[in-house]
Amino acid sequence: MSTANFARNPEPFPIYAVEEEALAVWVCPDCDAVMTWDGRAWTCPVCERSSDWPGDEGAYRDECAEDYRFEWIGENLAEAVGIPEFYRVSLRSGYYSGAQVLVEVPEDPRELDNEECRYLFDSCRSVTLRRFDAETRRLRGALDSFADSHGFERLGVVGVFSNGSAVYEKVA
């Protein structure tokens, strides 16, 4: 599994990442049906052919369909999170493979004073912070639901190297 290079989500959001297999589209060599990945093997729903790596048995990857699948997942992500006021949420390709949901905070209201909150968010700092916290909870729930329905795993940062690369582990 791979995440976008040097990209980490702000607290309290884990990194949501998916393996390349979840995005891959393999076509069965026997019946031209799209094979499905169950976490262990690729299986054809029509002829029930199964393989750990279908490319060895004559199946081929449909890269055009993989691009559509990536776009479809991105559209589902946009639909799941709506239009956040404080956050920017996007689907990014992994550094080597797979994909990651990236959450960014362009202007963090916790770092602004009262006048800046009034200028940027049209409310005093205390009201802005309450709206920010409510949106954080709503967005975390929406992203957790999205991750569960699309096969994304939650990763936490274990360590960061001096060049910015990070080591991750699965979290609950």
Side-chain angles (χ1 to χ4, degrees):
M1 182 170 324
S2 181
T3 62
N5 201 21
F6 308 113
R8 290 184 287 282
N9 291 340
E11 287 295 327
F13 300 100
I15 294 171
Y16 301 94
V18 67
E19 295 180 14
E20 177 183 10
E21 285 82 10
L23 301 173
V25 177
W26 285 95
V27 178
C28 180
D30 295 334
C31 61
D32 288 333
V34 173
M35 301 176 84
T36 58
W37 173 254
D38 66 2
R40 290 171 283 142
W42 291 94
T43 306
C44 177
V46 177
C47 66
E48 298 181 0
R49 181 181 188 142
S50 183
S51 174
D52 291 342
W53 189 251
D56 294 340
E57 298 178 10
Y60 66 93
R61 285 181 78 160
D62 188 345
E63 293 178 8
C64 185
E66 289 177 3
D67 290 342
Y68 284 121
R69 180 172 282 178
F70 187 84
E71 289 178 20
W72 176 78
I73 291 173
E75 291 169 1
N76 286 345
L77 174 64
E79 185 178 306
V81 299
I83 302 173
E85 179 180 7
F86 300 100
Y87 291 97
R88 186 173 36 229
V89 181
S90 59
L91 183 66
R92 296 269 180 98
S93 293
Y95 188 64
Y96 296 109
S97 64
Q100 169 189 354
V101 174
L102 184 63
V103 179
E104 299 170 291
V105 184
E107 289 288 340
D108 192 342
R110 297 170 293 190
E111 298 174 0
L112 303 175
D113 64 17
N114 197 41
E115 292 304 313
E116 292 169 324
C117 285
R118 284 191 182 280
Y119 178 75
L120 292 171
F121 304 112
D122 200 29
S123 60
C124 66
R125 186 171 191 273
S126 62
V127 171
T128 302
L129 290 176
R130 283 195 297 272
R131 288 186 3 228
F132 178 76
D133 291 340
E135 182 173 284
T136 301
R137 288 189 302 275
R138 181 195 65 79
L139 193 58
R140 174 70 195 265
L143 288 174
D144 284 344
S145 175
F146 170 81
D148 291 339
S149 65
H150 288 80
F152 281 71
E153 295 181 1
R154 292 162 190 79
L155 304 175
V157 177
V158 176
V160 179
F161 296 104
S162 61
N163 69 352
S165 294
V167 177
Y168 307 99
E169 73 178 7
K170 292 180 185 179
V171 295

